[in-house]
């Protein structure tokens, strides 16, 4: 009786020491990929660990592996183990995969076999995740070179127009000064002409006086 009681108490102690926590909400990106972290507390060193995701609405289970099989249908779960933590990368998600995902951690070695489940994470998948990724197409190199040539000609044309406008603007700023000098010379010539006429009149008046 006592040995059985001791085993039961030991097992209950393992269960109390083994707890799993996970975030309340996680959203998938536009590519249909979501990252979920499951933290756990366990007092002994773990040799063999197994992770499952229990989906409440779908009533099914997704097995998480250290490497994924691309030929497998449906959602894939890739796990990366750290100290007291497991990071799960869930791919191939669509809108119908939105559900409550419960992280189940099983410790298979060393004995005894124990497991614990988290409280669950609401996984939200937006409709944009269903949009297919654009396929890469080959470049049309002739069109690329034509576009590059046209762009180069337009750039050269804009440079020529800019330089022409600058030259015209500079010439217009110089011309008023030259015109002012020219007007000044005409004024000087007019004054000299009036002066010569006045001199001739005086000379004629003197001759007439005699």
């Amino acid at each position: 009786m006592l040995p059985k009681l001791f085993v039961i108490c030991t097992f209950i102690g393992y269960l109390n020491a083994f707890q799993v926590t996970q975030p309340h909400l996680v959203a998938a990106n536009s590519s249909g990929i979501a990252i979920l972290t499951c933290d756990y507390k366990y007092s002994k060193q773990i040799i063999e660990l197994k992770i499952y995701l229990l989906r409440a609405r779908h009533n099914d289970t997704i097995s998480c592996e250290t490497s994924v099989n691309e030929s497998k249908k449906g959602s894939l779960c890739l796990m990366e183990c750290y100290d007291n933590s497991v990071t799960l990368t869930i791919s191939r998600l669509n809108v119908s995969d939105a559900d409550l995902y419960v992280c189940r951690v099983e410790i298979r070695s060393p004995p005894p076999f124990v497991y614990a489940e988290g409280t669950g994470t609401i996984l939200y998948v937006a409709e944009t995740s269903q949009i297919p990724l654009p396929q890469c197409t080959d470049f049309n190199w002739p069109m690329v070179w034509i576009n590059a040539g046209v762009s180069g000609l337009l750039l050269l044309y804009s440079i020529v127009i800019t330089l022409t406008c600058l030259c015209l603007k500079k010439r217009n700023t110089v011309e008023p000064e030259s015109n002012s000098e020219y007007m000044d010379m005409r004024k000087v010539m007019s004054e000299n002409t009036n002066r010569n006429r006045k001199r001739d009149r005086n000379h004629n008046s003197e001759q007439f006086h005699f």
Side-chain angles (χ1 to χ4, degrees), residues 17-33:
F18 186 28
Q19 297 177 355
V20 177
T21 57
Q22 57 187 112
H24 177 68
L25 177 66
V26 169
N29 59 20
S30 59
S31 300
I33 299 175

Side-chain angles (χ1 to χ4, degrees), residues 102-119:
V102 178
C103 185
R104 176 187 172 99
V105 180
E106 296 182 356
I107 299 178
R108 299 186 175 184
S109 181
F113 170 81
V114 293
Y115 72 91
E117 296 178 359
T119 55

